[in-house]
mmCIF file of all heavy atoms in Angstrom:
data_model
loop_
_atom_site.group_PDB
_atom_site.id
_atom_site.type_symbol
_atom_site.label_atom_id
_atom_site.label_comp_id
_atom_site.label_asym_id
_atom_site.label_seq_id
_atom_site.Cartn_x
_atom_site.Cartn_y
_atom_site.Cartn_z
ATOM 1 N N MET A 706 0.061 1.813 16.070
ATOM 2 C CA MET A 706 -0.547 2.199 17.387
ATOM 3 C C MET A 706 -2.046 2.637 17.206
ATOM 4 O O MET A 706 -2.818 2.478 18.117
ATOM 5 C CB MET A 706 0.183 3.353 18.021
ATOM 6 C CG MET A 706 1.456 2.847 18.753
ATOM 7 S SD MET A 706 1.251 1.444 19.972
ATOM 8 C CE MET A 706 0.421 2.299 21.264
ATOM 9 N N SER A 707 -2.307 3.081 15.965
ATOM 10 C CA SER A 707 -3.734 3.391 15.710
ATOM 11 C C SER A 707 -4.623 2.117 15.849
ATOM 12 O O SER A 707 -5.669 2.154 16.386
ATOM 13 C CB SER A 707 -3.857 4.037 14.249
ATOM 14 O OG SER A 707 -3.565 5.371 14.297
ATOM 15 N N ALA A 708 -4.057 1.060 15.181
ATOM 16 C CA ALA A 708 -4.896 -0.202 15.220
ATOM 17 C C ALA A 708 -4.888 -0.759 16.710
ATOM 18 O O ALA A 708 -5.905 -1.203 17.187
ATOM 19 C CB ALA A 708 -4.161 -1.178 14.378
ATOM 20 N N VAL A 709 -3.735 -0.676 17.392
ATOM 21 C CA VAL A 709 -3.774 -1.083 18.767
ATOM 22 C C VAL A 709 -4.736 -0.426 19.615
ATOM 23 O O VAL A 709 -5.561 -0.934 20.403
ATOM 24 C CB VAL A 709 -2.303 -0.865 19.439
ATOM 25 C CG1 VAL A 709 -2.386 -1.000 20.891
ATOM 26 C CG2 VAL A 709 -1.289 -1.765 18.845
ATOM 27 N N SER A 710 -4.926 0.999 19.436
ATOM 28 C CA SER A 710 -5.753 1.728 20.192
ATOM 29 C C SER A 710 -7.243 1.392 19.923
ATOM 30 O O SER A 710 -8.093 1.521 20.839
ATOM 31 C CB SER A 710 -5.530 3.310 19.985
ATOM 32 O OG SER A 710 -6.045 3.703 18.671
ATOM 33 N N GLU A 711 -7.458 0.984 18.711
ATOM 34 C CA GLU A 711 -8.967 0.619 18.455
ATOM 35 C C GLU A 711 -9.328 -0.720 19.131
ATOM 36 O O GLU A 711 -10.431 -0.852 19.622
ATOM 37 C CB GLU A 711 -9.157 0.465 16.932
ATOM 38 C CG GLU A 711 -8.847 1.840 16.299
ATOM 39 C CD GLU A 711 -10.070 2.399 15.454
ATOM 40 O OE1 GLU A 711 -10.840 1.609 14.923
ATOM 41 O OE2 GLU A 711 -10.167 3.599 15.364
ATOM 42 N N LEU A 712 -8.300 -1.644 19.264
ATOM 43 C CA LEU A 712 -8.547 -2.844 20.028
ATOM 44 C C LEU A 712 -8.818 -2.470 21.542
ATOM 45 O O LEU A 712 -9.582 -3.208 22.183
ATOM 46 C CB LEU A 712 -7.334 -3.822 20.080
ATOM 47 C CG LEU A 712 -6.915 -4.392 18.669
ATOM 48 C CD1 LEU A 712 -5.780 -5.345 18.861
ATOM 49 C CD2 LEU A 712 -8.046 -5.134 18.029
ATOM 50 N N GLN A 713 -8.099 -1.528 21.951
ATOM 51 C CA GLN A 713 -8.144 -1.220 23.342
ATOM 52 C C GLN A 713 -9.358 -0.332 23.837
ATOM 53 O O GLN A 713 -9.905 -0.416 24.989
ATOM 54 C CB GLN A 713 -6.862 -0.401 23.865
ATOM 55 C CG GLN A 713 -5.548 -1.163 23.673
ATOM 56 C CD GLN A 713 -4.340 -0.270 23.882
ATOM 57 O OE1 GLN A 713 -4.337 0.847 23.479
ATOM 58 N NE2 GLN A 713 -3.312 -0.926 24.503
ATOM 59 N N TRP A 714 -9.690 0.564 22.950
ATOM 60 C CA TRP A 714 -10.713 1.579 23.322
ATOM 61 C C TRP A 714 -12.001 1.410 22.604
ATOM 62 O O TRP A 714 -13.144 1.616 23.212
ATOM 63 C CB TRP A 714 -10.126 2.984 23.043
ATOM 64 C CG TRP A 714 -11.040 4.080 23.438
ATOM 65 C CD1 TRP A 714 -12.170 4.502 22.815
ATOM 66 C CD2 TRP A 714 -10.836 4.896 24.589
ATOM 67 N NE1 TRP A 714 -12.776 5.565 23.453
ATOM 68 C CE2 TRP A 714 -11.976 5.821 24.561
ATOM 69 C CE3 TRP A 714 -9.951 4.993 25.619
ATOM 70 C CZ2 TRP A 714 -12.192 6.782 25.480
ATOM 71 C CZ3 TRP A 714 -10.142 6.001 26.534
ATOM 72 C CH2 TRP A 714 -11.263 6.805 26.492
ATOM 73 N N SER A 715 -12.094 1.101 21.337
ATOM 74 C CA SER A 715 -13.232 1.317 20.498
ATOM 75 C C SER A 715 -14.221 0.236 20.655
ATOM 76 O O SER A 715 -13.968 -0.848 21.269
ATOM 77 C CB SER A 715 -12.873 1.489 19.112
ATOM 78 O OG SER A 715 -12.021 2.559 18.907
ATOM 79 N N ASP A 716 -15.478 0.387 20.140
ATOM 80 C CA ASP A 716 -16.577 -0.425 20.207
ATOM 81 C C ASP A 716 -16.274 -1.701 19.371
ATOM 82 O O ASP A 716 -16.159 -1.572 18.148
ATOM 83 C CB ASP A 716 -17.848 0.236 19.795
ATOM 84 C CG ASP A 716 -19.006 -0.684 19.973
ATOM 85 O OD1 ASP A 716 -18.968 -1.878 20.279
ATOM 86 O OD2 ASP A 716 -20.146 -0.129 19.751
ATOM 87 N N PRO A 717 -16.153 -2.949 19.938
ATOM 88 C CA PRO A 717 -15.851 -4.072 19.072
ATOM 89 C C PRO A 717 -16.839 -4.472 18.174
ATOM 90 O O PRO A 717 -16.607 -4.983 17.092
ATOM 91 C CB PRO A 717 -15.600 -5.194 20.156
ATOM 92 C CG PRO A 717 -16.278 -4.773 21.452
ATOM 93 C CD PRO A 717 -16.330 -3.225 21.418
ATOM 94 N N GLU A 718 -18.088 -3.997 18.488
ATOM 95 C CA GLU A 718 -19.227 -4.408 17.534
ATOM 96 C C GLU A 718 -19.027 -3.564 16.206
ATOM 97 O O GLU A 718 -19.652 -3.886 15.215
ATOM 98 C CB GLU A 718 -20.600 -3.868 18.109
ATOM 99 C CG GLU A 718 -20.920 -4.603 19.421
ATOM 100 C CD GLU A 718 -21.255 -6.113 19.219
ATOM 101 O OE1 GLU A 718 -21.882 -6.304 18.242
ATOM 102 O OE2 GLU A 718 -20.777 -6.895 20.070
ATOM 103 N N ARG A 719 -18.265 -2.402 16.241
ATOM 104 C CA ARG A 719 -18.208 -1.662 15.005
ATOM 105 C C ARG A 719 -16.881 -1.855 14.330
ATOM 106 O O ARG A 719 -16.571 -1.101 13.387
ATOM 107 C CB ARG A 719 -18.383 -0.167 15.417
ATOM 108 C CG ARG A 719 -19.718 0.067 16.140
ATOM 109 C CD ARG A 719 -20.419 1.294 15.808
ATOM 110 N NE ARG A 719 -19.659 2.367 15.239
ATOM 111 C CZ ARG A 719 -19.518 3.545 15.846
ATOM 112 N NH1 ARG A 719 -20.117 3.751 17.009
ATOM 113 N NH2 ARG A 719 -18.839 4.483 15.245
ATOM 114 N N ARG A 720 -16.121 -2.872 14.833
ATOM 115 C CA ARG A 720 -14.733 -2.964 14.261
ATOM 116 C C ARG A 720 -14.872 -3.376 12.727
ATOM 117 O O ARG A 720 -15.505 -4.351 12.363
ATOM 118 C CB ARG A 720 -14.008 -4.062 14.990
ATOM 119 C CG ARG A 720 -12.569 -4.086 14.566
ATOM 120 C CD ARG A 720 -11.671 -4.711 15.653
ATOM 121 N NE ARG A 720 -11.707 -3.823 16.772
ATOM 122 C CZ ARG A 720 -11.828 -4.209 18.061
ATOM 123 N NH1 ARG A 720 -11.835 -5.496 18.336
ATOM 124 N NH2 ARG A 720 -11.852 -3.373 19.044
ATOM 125 N N ASP A 721 -14.189 -2.489 11.824
ATOM 126 C CA ASP A 721 -14.361 -2.718 10.448
ATOM 127 C C ASP A 721 -13.151 -2.098 9.762
ATOM 128 O O ASP A 721 -12.900 -0.852 9.951
ATOM 129 C CB ASP A 721 -15.626 -2.088 9.945
ATOM 130 C CG ASP A 721 -15.652 -2.062 8.462
ATOM 131 O OD1 ASP A 721 -15.457 -3.140 7.819
ATOM 132 O OD2 ASP A 721 -15.947 -0.982 7.849
ATOM 133 N N PHE A 722 -12.347 -2.904 9.096
ATOM 134 C CA PHE A 722 -11.092 -2.438 8.677
ATOM 135 C C PHE A 722 -11.196 -1.329 7.555
ATOM 136 O O PHE A 722 -10.469 -0.360 7.531
ATOM 137 C CB PHE A 722 -10.216 -3.618 7.967
ATOM 138 C CG PHE A 722 -8.801 -3.206 7.667
ATOM 139 C CD1 PHE A 722 -7.902 -3.089 8.715
ATOM 140 C CD2 PHE A 722 -8.363 -3.105 6.416
ATOM 141 C CE1 PHE A 722 -6.624 -2.744 8.537
ATOM 142 C CE2 PHE A 722 -7.035 -2.696 6.234
ATOM 143 C CZ PHE A 722 -6.148 -2.641 7.227
ATOM 144 N N GLU A 723 -12.214 -1.477 6.712
ATOM 145 C CA GLU A 723 -12.401 -0.448 5.643
ATOM 146 C C GLU A 723 -12.825 0.831 6.295
ATOM 147 O O GLU A 723 -12.304 1.975 5.825
ATOM 148 C CB GLU A 723 -13.537 -0.882 4.644
ATOM 149 C CG GLU A 723 -13.109 -2.029 3.850
ATOM 150 C CD GLU A 723 -11.790 -1.922 3.109
ATOM 151 O OE1 GLU A 723 -11.484 -0.868 2.607
ATOM 152 O OE2 GLU A 723 -10.938 -2.921 3.056
ATOM 153 N N ALA A 724 -13.597 0.802 7.342
ATOM 154 C CA ALA A 724 -13.919 2.124 8.012
ATOM 155 C C ALA A 724 -12.781 2.663 8.820
ATOM 156 O O ALA A 724 -12.715 3.964 9.069
ATOM 157 C CB ALA A 724 -15.224 1.809 8.915
#
Side-chain angles (χ1 to χ4, degrees):
M706 286 305 289
S707 277
V709 169
S710 74
E711 299 236 329
L712 298 181
Q713 295 172 325
W714 181 286
S715 302
D716 184 351
E718 299 291 320
R719 305 219 335 241
R720 187 152 301 136
D721 172 48
F722 192 73
E723 294 307 317

